[in-house]
Amino acid sequence: MAAIIRLINRTTSSSSSSFSYLARRSFTHAPPRVDPKDRNVQWVFLGCPGVGKGTYATRLCNLLRVPHIATGDLVRHELSSKGPLSQQLSEIVNQGKLVSDEIIINLLKARLAAGEAKGESGFILDGFPRTINQAEILEGVTDIDLVVNLKLDEEILIEKCLGRRMCSECGGNFNVASINMKGENGRPGTVMAPLLPPAHCMSKLITRADDTEAVVKERLRIYNETSRPVEEFYRSRGKLLEFELPGGIPESWPKLLHALNLDDYEEKQSAAA
């Protein structure tokens, strides 16, 4: 699938020094500007577990009208569809083993081919690739134009993960953590309001068994060992945008759009609707 994003050379100025801190670019060109008439994007979202990759990737997919592709969803779909790899995947999952890069790439190839056949205009990959090997294989499968690396202070990440709750009745996801970290050394502060459930869910909240401090820290350790090199892989290719989340969705979403040169895109989409 060939990328046809227009790259426009422009220098984006910020209105404050805090925004310069929020978004650090490692582009060969200026960040891509998406034309409403030409919505092709082929992007990757990276970031530590719990940072919100799925949340922001999904929002951007809805805005740009491109599919959100997460490899975990591809595996679950293949298992439920009784496809050609379902039996092999079932054995791997039942044995608690990791799904091989070869299988993941084959599932991704099939998904991209199916999307191209349907006329899909690009995609956003969520949390893939996770290793250098996967990144190198992916280069032979499709062109990636931009890699957005969401970043958040580790102390905040841990607090955020420990605040996650789920309603045992409706399955809704919530977060009871109220985060207010003061800025220091030129670094802006971070405020994240809790995402509280409606009253009828409050007494039915449960915590995931693996949302303990020890498990969360181990997930972050593994991520740092395996995925940090992937950031450098794309940085060296001039495709990495590192975005420090300044807070929750109300604070972060408009600044992320600005970093992606999509400031006025929502307004244009609304006007065209």
Side-chain angles (χ1 to χ4, degrees), residues 8-264:
I8 297 177
N9 254 339
R10 97 172 180 162
T11 301
T12 304
S13 61
S14 70
S15 58
S16 67
S17 59
S18 65
F19 184 77
S20 298
Y21 177 82
L22 293 175
R24 295 185 291 272
R25 300 176 173 88
S26 302
F27 291 112
T28 303
H29 304 280
R33 174 170 285 279
V34 180
D35 191 308
K37 298 177 182 177
D38 176 18
R39 291 190 300 270
N40 252 49
V41 298
Q42 296 183 188
W43 295 355
V44 166
F45 264 62
L46 299 178
C48 293
V51 76
K53 295 184 296 295
T55 298
Y56 291 101
T58 299
R59 277 182 161 243
L60 278 168
C61 285
N62 291 336
L63 176 65
L64 301 173
R65 300 176 188 173
V66 297
H68 170 243
I69 301 176
T71 52
D73 292 340
L74 295 182
V75 170
R76 284 185 285 272
H77 179 268
E78 184 70 13
L79 282 168
S80 63
S81 67
K82 305 299 181 184
L85 293 173
S86 61
Q87 182 60 39
Q88 186 179 359
L89 277 172
S90 181
E91 292 174 3
I92 292 170
V93 172
N94 290 338
Q95 293 171 16
K97 295 180 180 179
L98 292 176
V99 180
S100 70
D101 289 350
E102 180 183 5
I103 292 177
I104 292 295
I105 290 293
N106 285 337
L107 290 174
L108 182 57
K109 281 181 180 178
R111 174 62 183 84
L112 294 179
E116 188 172 18
K118 291 190 296 183
E120 289 178 349
S121 55
F123 55 81
I124 294 180
L125 295 181
D126 176 358
F128 184 88
R130 288 187 172 93
T131 67
I132 288 290
N133 185 56
Q134 291 176 351
E136 290 174 342
I137 295 172
L138 184 61
E139 277 197 323
V141 173
T142 189
D143 294 325
I144 297 300
D145 305 297
L146 173 69
V147 177
V148 180
N149 184 31
L150 298 182
K151 302 175 77 70
L152 196 58
D153 184 272
E154 185 167 309
E155 183 181 339
I156 297 174
L157 269 173
I158 292 171
E159 191 173 346
K160 189 166 173 271
C161 288
L162 295 181
R164 291 194 293 202
R165 299 290 187 274
M166 183 177 74
C167 176
S168 59
E169 187 171 286
C170 71
N173 291 300
F174 308 99
N175 201 303
V176 298
S178 180
I179 297 168
N180 189 353
M181 179 173 283
K182 294 181 179 179
E184 56 183 18
N185 300 323
R187 179 181 186 145
T190 303
V191 176
M192 291 186 174
L195 178 61
L196 298 176
H200 62 271
C201 290
M202 188 66 75
S203 63
K204 305 176 184 70
L205 294 184
I206 58 174
T207 304
R208 279 173 36 174
D210 58 347
D211 273 345
T212 66
E213 186 168 352
V215 171
V216 170
K217 286 183 175 179
E218 179 63 9
R219 285 197 209 117
L220 294 176
R221 184 192 68 77
I222 292 172
Y223 178 85
N224 288 332
E225 285 184 2
T226 61
S227 295
R228 294 294 186 197
V230 177
E231 298 171 14
E232 185 55 42
F233 178 89
Y234 286 113
R235 183 180 293 110
S236 68
R237 282 157 173 75
K239 296 182 177 182
L240 188 72
L241 169 66
E242 295 183 286
F243 184 79
E244 189 89 18
L245 293 165
I249 292 173
E251 298 81 18
S252 300
W253 178 242
K255 290 182 172 64
L256 178 60
L257 291 180
H258 181 70
L260 292 170
N261 286 333
L262 293 170
D263 311 67
D264 56 353

